[in-house]
Amino acid sequence: MVAIQNSSHTLTPETTLRDIIKTIPSEYFEKKPLRAWFGVLFSLVAAALGYASIAFSPWYLLPFAWIFTGTALTGWFVIGHDCGHRSFSNKSWVNDLVGHIAFLPLLYPFHGWRFKHDYHHLHTNKMGEDNAWYPFTVEEYEQGKGLISGVYRLIRTRFWWIGSIIHWANLHFDASLYPERQQEQVKFSYRLVIVFGAISIPALIYTTGLLGFINFFLMPWLVYHFWMSTFTIVHHTMPDIQFKSPDKWHAATDQLTGTVHCDYPAWVEWLCHDINVHVPHHVSTGIPSYNLRLAHKSLDENWGQYLYKTKFSWELMKDIGDRCHIYDAEKCYKTFAEVDPAKSI
């Protein structure tokens, strides 16, 4: 659902991202150490409560404990996300330290993610460049027939929630995928993750058994990836949001109109530090997560008619999964049935 309302600014081909940024009050870009560290404390307490609930819950309440804990760990990722964008602290070493610590329990390499994610922000919804939920063309789908296209079908339909796991595994543990100047940092991050996992996972299994590994790590980790997959696909994938070829892509237009604001249950938004308030984040990555709502309100007042707003529901995910399959330059997407009628979804 796109919200249409009056706004005081008009988006034209001459509009730049700087023009949009200038309409957001400058104080919303200010880093506030107390707010940032309160977010860290909040997520630490939330995760501790989650793990305590796993430890003491009867078996029939464990799914709720897994969901709460995995969602709290998604908040850890959002703190690392701020660090990656240098919106947590003015000191790079603090951003790197906190980012690595926040990402380690998720087994996520910080620098590898940071570089790929920055590239996503530079080329949001640009065909051939964006690396977040990039849609296959008909030609790419046909060329990938077999395992690649089969996995693509899964994550574009009812198994969208494993997309983040595939993205994590494919892009962040291979330094050759990065420019040479970034490779040493990428190697440092994924080696740190490997060492951490090689120590912590056997220790967890030794002290709590295989069931403890499933309860305390695997299930919350899968919930975390559920939210990562869901947030990411919803942020930029709607039946009426167009990925564009580089010659037709326009930074201001496609960052503002190609990014989705989605409302989730309040407890999810609290635990995940408002990462769902995503339009201002694509206008400027310099806005800390605790100022996203204020920045969104400003954008709504100035550019409201261009903002795409929706609400999370299973119907929304079904609509995306039923329609947003193969890139189409005219109508945004074709379904698998249109390009591969011999197969059913």
Side-chain angles (χ1 to χ4, degrees):
M1 176 180 67
V2 181
I4 303 296
Q5 62 185 58
N6 292 327
S7 61
S8 57
H9 291 80
T10 302
L11 196 59
T12 70
E14 288 72 40
T15 304
T16 66
L17 268 179
R18 177 56 55 187
D19 295 328
I20 299 173
I21 290 170
K22 286 179 179 177
T23 67
I24 301 174
S26 59
E27 58 265 29
Y28 298 166
F29 296 85
E30 294 176 4
K31 302 179 187 71
K32 300 176 181 178
L34 286 179
R35 290 289 302 275
W37 287 105
F38 175 79
V40 172
L41 178 62
F42 177 84
S43 284
L44 285 170
V45 171
L49 289 173
Y51 286 122
S53 69
I54 291 173
F56 295 107
S57 290
W59 65 267
Y60 52 85
L61 291 180
L62 276 176
F64 299 99
W66 295 333
I67 291 169
F68 180 88
T69 306
T71 308
L73 290 174
T74 309
W76 287 40
F77 181 90
V78 178
I79 290 169
H81 179 268
D82 270 18
C83 292
H85 286 302
R86 299 345 203 183
S87 59
F88 181 86
S89 170
N90 286 320
K91 296 182 172 63
S92 291
W93 71 267
V94 173
N95 288 312
D96 287 346
L97 178 63
V98 175
H100 277 93
I101 293 172
F103 274 25
L104 272 181
L106 310 172
L107 300 185
Y108 225 108
F110 176 72
H111 282 310
W113 167 83
R114 178 169 73 90
F115 294 135
K116 289 294 184 186
H117 190 66
D118 281 347
Y119 198 82
H120 157 67
H121 273 273
L122 286 173
H123 303 283
T124 304
N125 289 23
K126 185 190 293 183
M127 288 297 293
E129 297 290 349
D130 196 352
N131 55 41
W133 290 94
Y134 168 82
F136 277 13
T137 63
V138 173
E139 294 74 20
E140 288 169 327
Y141 180 71
E142 293 293 334
Q143 290 170 6
K145 279 294 179 65
L147 179 61
I148 293 175
S149 289
V151 171
Y152 181 80
R153 288 178 69 96
L154 284 177
I155 66 174
R156 282 285 171 174
T157 51
R158 296 296 179 265
F159 287 84
W160 86 88
W161 48 274
I162 67 172
S164 172
I165 298 174
I166 295 169
H167 188 268
W168 161 79
N170 278 347
L171 293 182
H172 303 98
F173 292 89
D174 183 354
S176 69
L177 298 175
Y178 297 78
E180 187 174 352
R181 68 183 184 279
Q182 299 174 350
Q183 290 182 5
E184 283 305 310
Q185 288 177 292
V186 171
K187 290 176 183 177
F188 171 81
S189 290
Y190 76 62
R191 287 168 178 167
L192 184 65
V193 163
I194 291 170
V195 169
F196 178 84
I199 295 172
S200 62
I201 291 177
L204 180 63
I205 294 172
Y206 179 78
T207 55
T208 66
L210 185 59
L211 188 60
F213 166 75
I214 293 171
N215 283 332
F216 289 101
F217 176 77
L218 182 60
M219 297 310 295
W221 188 76
L222 290 175
V223 171
Y224 153 72
H225 276 289
F226 168 87
W227 285 121
M228 283 291 291
S229 299
T230 301
F231 287 142
T232 310
I233 194 170
V234 170
H235 283 162
H236 303 288
T237 309
M238 290 288 161
D240 50 347
I241 286 185
Q242 180 72 68
F243 271 69
K244 295 181 181 177
S245 59
D247 61 309
K248 295 181 179 178
W249 187 83
H250 181 251
T253 301
D254 292 297
Q255 297 284 17
L256 187 67
T257 68
T259 306
V260 175
H261 172 91
C262 183
D263 290 320
Y264 291 79
W267 67 274
V268 175
E269 297 181 357
W270 292 336
L271 288 174
C272 298
H273 301 288
D274 292 331
I275 193 61
N276 60 298
V277 186
H278 208 62
V279 181
H281 177 62
H282 267 269
V283 170
S284 174
T285 59
I287 302 171
S289 56
Y290 45 81
N291 284 336
L292 287 174
R293 289 197 178 276
L294 292 171
H296 178 83
K297 182 179 179 182
S298 175
L299 288 174
D300 211 15
E301 292 170 352
N302 289 288
W303 307 91
Q305 63 179 309
Y306 305 107
L307 302 190
Y308 198 117
K309 303 176 188 177
T310 191
K311 187 174 182 179
F312 174 75
S313 67
W314 297 115
E315 289 76 17
L316 173 69
M317 302 313 298
K318 183 178 184 299
D319 191 37
I320 294 172
D322 286 347
R323 298 168 62 190
C324 300
H325 299 161
I326 303 294
Y327 169 76
D328 185 271
E330 299 300 325
K331 60 175 186 176
C332 299
Y333 289 97
K334 290 181 178 178
T335 65
F336 288 126
E338 290 177 280
V339 301
D340 197 0
K343 287 189 176 181
S344 58
I345 295 174

